[in-house]
Amino acid sequence: MTGFFLLAYGLSWLAWLPYMLSEDGLAVFRFRYPSVLGTSQFLGVMPGAYLGPIFSAYLMTRLLEGRPGVRRWLRAFLRWRAGARWYLLALAGVPAIMVTATFALPGAAGALSLPAAPAVLAFLPMLLVQLVTTGLAEEPGWREYALPRVQQRYGPMAGALILGPLWAGWHLPLFLTGWRMGASALGTVVEFLLFTLVLNIVVTWLFNSTRESLPVVMLFHANINNFGSVLWPAFFPAIPVLDSRYLVGLIGFGALALVIVVATRGRLGYRRMETCANAGQRYGAAADIC
C-alpha cells in the first residue's frame, strides 16, 4: 500500500512541477501552457493526474499480481451493474445537495437565478469530459485499488479517515497553479481538505453500497466537479466560485456524511471482512493487505 501512495504522489507531483513553475503558476519560468477548451489545465494538470493514481494502481497491480491481477483490476471498469437509485444519486443527487447547501451562505437565496442556455447545453458534454479526465484519472486508483485494501486492514470508518487526507493531500501542489490560484489561499485550502475528508466518507459508502461499482463512483466524482464548475456558478452568479464552492461542498456532503455514519453505525455499507486467504484471491498477495 505504501508503494502505491508514494508512486501516486511522486509521479503526479513531478509531472506537475513544470506547470507550477510556469506563468500558469509561480511564474519562475517565462512560458505558458497552451489553452485547450479555454483552460491550460488539460495540458498542465492531466498528464500528472494520469501518471498518479490510475497508473500507480496499474503498476503496483502488475508488479505484485502479474497479468491475472491486471485483468481483475480492469474488469472493475465494467462493473456498472448497480441499482438505478445509485445512478440517480450520482446524476440528480449531486445538484440537489449542492444547491440546497448553498442556501446556508448569507444572501444565497437572493442570488439564485435560472442558468443561461449555454451553461445548460454545456453540462452533458462537460460531464463526459470530466468522466474521462477526473473520474478516469483518480477513481481506479483511490477507490478501486486503495480503498478495499485500506478497509481490509483498518475497517471502513478508519479506512475512510485515512484515505481522505491522502486523497486531499495529493491535490495540494495544484493550489500553486491556475487550477485554484485565484482563490483566497489558506482559507480555500483548509475548506478543500475538510471537504475532501467528508466527501471521501460519502464516496466510500457509495462504493461499498454498490458492491464496488467503479463506474458509479466515477460518475459521482465527475458530476461534483462538473456541476460545481458549469451549472452551480450559473445558478448563483453573484457568489464567488473559487472562494465558496468547497464551503458549499463541505456543508452539503458533510451533512450527508454525518447521516451515513449514524445510519450505518460507521460501517459505511461495508458488508464483510474477508479473511487474509480470501483477500489474497481478490487482491493478489494477501501479505500486502493483512
Side-chain angles (χ1 to χ4, degrees):
M1 282 301 302
T2 302
F4 165 77
F5 292 118
L6 289 175
L7 277 173
Y9 270 67
L11 293 174
S12 290
W13 288 15
L14 184 62
W16 287 337
L17 186 60
Y19 189 52
M20 292 166 54
L21 298 179
S22 73
E23 293 182 3
D24 298 280
L26 300 174
V28 175
F29 299 135
R30 309 308 299 177
F31 71 90
R32 185 176 294 275
Y33 276 69
S35 179
V36 176
L37 295 179
T39 177
S40 64
Q41 294 176 34
F42 282 99
L43 296 180
V45 175
M46 290 318 303
Y50 285 125
L51 277 174
I54 184 172
F55 180 70
S56 298
Y58 163 79
L59 190 59
M60 291 298 295
T61 302
R62 183 70 175 85
L63 290 174
L64 295 176
E65 303 172 31
R67 291 181 180 178
V70 171
R71 286 194 292 270
R72 285 192 298 269
W73 178 70
L74 289 175
R75 281 198 294 269
F77 290 72
L78 303 177
R79 201 181 296 137
W80 53 268
R81 291 187 177 180
R85 66 187 184 278
W86 302 113
Y87 286 98
L88 185 63
L89 173 63
L91 288 171
V94 165
I97 291 167
M98 294 185 68
V99 169
T100 302
T102 306
F103 291 118
L105 301 183
L112 179 65
S113 65
L114 291 176
V120 175
L121 293 174
F123 180 75
L124 284 180
M126 291 307 297
L127 179 59
L128 294 176
V129 171
Q130 286 285 355
L131 270 173
V132 299
T133 54
T134 300
L136 181 61
E138 296 192 37
E139 294 305 324
W142 300 125
R143 242 58 63 181
E144 178 58 30
Y145 184 87
L147 178 58
R149 291 163 170 81
V150 173
Q151 288 190 124
Q152 181 68 38
R153 179 172 292 177
Y154 300 105
M157 193 67 223
L161 294 176
I162 291 169
L163 185 58
L166 289 169
W167 179 30
W170 174 77
H171 295 80
L172 287 180
L174 296 176
F175 281 90
L176 300 176
T177 73
W179 187 73
R180 286 295 177 270
M181 187 170 273
S184 302
L186 181 58
T188 303
V189 171
V190 172
E191 288 171 6
F192 173 79
L193 293 174
L194 293 174
F195 161 61
T196 308
L197 178 62
V198 299
L199 180 61
N200 186 63
I201 293 174
V202 176
V203 178
T204 297
W205 165 76
L206 182 61
F207 184 73
N208 290 335
S209 299
T210 58
R211 297 188 182 276
E212 303 184 353
S213 174
L214 183 59
V216 170
V217 296
M218 285 175 59
L219 181 62
F220 184 77
H221 187 174
N223 200 24
I224 290 172
N225 286 21
N226 188 54
F227 184 80
S229 59
V230 176
L231 279 184
W232 184 80
F235 274 112
F236 301 97
I239 296 178
V241 176
L242 291 178
D243 288 330
S244 303
R245 188 166 57 191
Y246 296 136
L247 179 58
V248 167
L250 175 59
I251 294 169
F253 293 102
L256 179 57
L258 180 60
V259 171
I260 290 169
V261 170
V262 172
T264 66
R265 299 181 180 181
R267 294 296 295 170
L268 307 183
Y270 195 57
R271 292 181 174 85
R272 68 191 188 282
M273 287 296 289
E274 297 174 303
T275 64
C276 287
N278 290 336
Q281 292 176 4
R282 188 198 188 289
Y283 306 123
D288 189 47
I289 304 168
C290 305

